[in-house]
Amino acid sequence: MVEGFLKEYMKVNDVVGTELHTIGNRFTGLLSDLLVKHKALKGYFGDKQPDVGLGSSSHHDHQFISLCKEAYVVDGRNIQSSVMPRDKYPKPLIFHEGRLAFLPTPLETLCMFLWLPFVIVLVIFRILFGICLPYLLAILYGLLSGVQLRFQNCFPWPKPQHKNGVLYVCMHITLLDPFFLSTALCKPLTAVTYNLSKMFEIIAPFRTIGLTRDRKQDGETM
């Protein structure tokens, strides 16, 4: 994530850092060999001395920035006042990550973890009611439990006149789009998925078909 951001947004040529450990093409959640900054700097530049070093007041960063021609230390105690205004960004930036859509300050993080147990219970009840209840009752329960629904066009939607069926193209990889679409149409749909866990496919209140990204096999499946 850091390397992609620095290269695409900041136009950085190279990034050196601690890598995440993988087995095959799966992340294990562990770190590979932990990078030591001043050793990595010597290994990258050799006998050359970098122009500018930027770091914190920690001992490891002092070793790192002492190897540079110019050294700057960021005061972490006053981090809020150093946040750059949006109008001074090099170019527009959109942080598109729905699972972490706020600045994780200590207070915000505490509120998130305090709210987490209630969310788990709420999700379980929403899934059970969504699977067991008729569509209109499921919509009513969703509204009572805090789900905000907005339907554009008439509701329920009119059935198509032809018999060949309708293909709905969703914009997200999760099952939320076909779930809300099925609820809005008040009828079950078959969702074509890719790279979803088996748990989501089991608890989905409609049929799912998994794709493999194999052109021939997926073509036959479709």
Side-chain angles (χ1 to χ4, degrees):
M1 290 175 61
V2 175
E3 183 176 5
F5 170 76
L6 291 174
K7 286 186 175 182
E8 294 177 18
Y9 189 78
M10 304 297 293
K11 302 301 181 183
V12 172
N13 293 325
D14 292 305
V15 178
V16 180
T18 300
E19 298 289 345
L20 292 174
H21 183 261
T22 58
I23 296 180
N25 61 349
R26 300 277 183 177
F27 289 110
T28 63
L30 304 175
L31 297 177
S32 58
D33 295 334
L34 193 62
L35 180 136
V36 181
K37 292 182 181 180
H38 66 278
K39 292 182 179 179
L41 190 70
K42 290 181 179 178
Y44 185 84
F45 285 97
D47 296 331
K48 295 181 180 179
Q49 191 177 17
D51 293 322
V52 178
L54 183 67
S56 66
S57 57
S58 69
H59 170 69
H60 294 290
D61 277 16
H62 271 293
Q63 287 183 301
F64 157 66
I65 62 178
S66 63
L67 300 174
C68 306
K69 296 178 182 178
E70 295 183 26
Y72 296 91
V73 176
V74 177
D75 185 3
R77 296 169 298 179
N78 197 22
I79 192 67
Q80 288 293 339
S81 63
S82 62
V83 176
M84 181 181 293
R86 288 182 178 270
D87 56 354
K88 293 187 178 180
Y89 283 7
K91 54 184 177 181
L93 174 66
I94 298 176
F95 186 72
H96 187 73
E97 176 52 80
R99 290 166 293 185
L100 188 62
F102 61 90
L103 186 65
T105 62
L107 179 59
E108 294 283 355
T109 306
L110 176 62
C111 293
M112 181 185 71
F113 281 107
L114 290 175
W115 176 240
L116 193 58
F118 299 98
V119 171
I120 294 175
V121 175
L122 187 61
V123 166
I124 292 174
F125 274 97
R126 282 177 176 171
I127 292 174
L128 290 176
F129 279 97
I131 294 175
C132 301
L133 292 179
Y135 285 106
L136 291 177
L137 290 179
I139 292 175
L140 178 61
Y141 171 77
L143 294 173
L144 294 175
S145 64
V147 178
Q148 296 183 4
L149 297 176
R150 183 181 63 184
F151 298 105
Q152 294 180 344
N153 208 332
C154 56
F155 176 76
W157 292 353
K159 296 181 179 180
Q161 300 300 320
H162 49 80
K163 299 181 180 180
N164 294 330
V166 179
L167 174 65
Y168 300 97
V169 181
C170 301
M171 298 180 63
H172 303 93
I173 196 173
T174 68
L175 288 177
L176 280 178
D177 283 7
F179 173 76
F180 279 104
L181 184 59
S182 176
T183 303
L185 295 172
C186 288
K187 69 176 183 178
L189 299 177
T190 299
V192 179
T193 64
Y194 169 71
N195 200 25
L196 279 181
S197 67
K198 291 296 181 182
M199 177 58 68
F200 285 109
E201 295 182 0
I202 292 173
I203 65 176
F206 41 75
R207 184 185 177 207
T208 61
I209 298 177
L211 297 183
T212 62
R213 289 286 175 97
D214 180 271
R215 188 183 184 94
K216 182 180 179 181
Q217 183 177 345
D218 290 343
E220 294 174 354
T221 302
M222 292 180 184

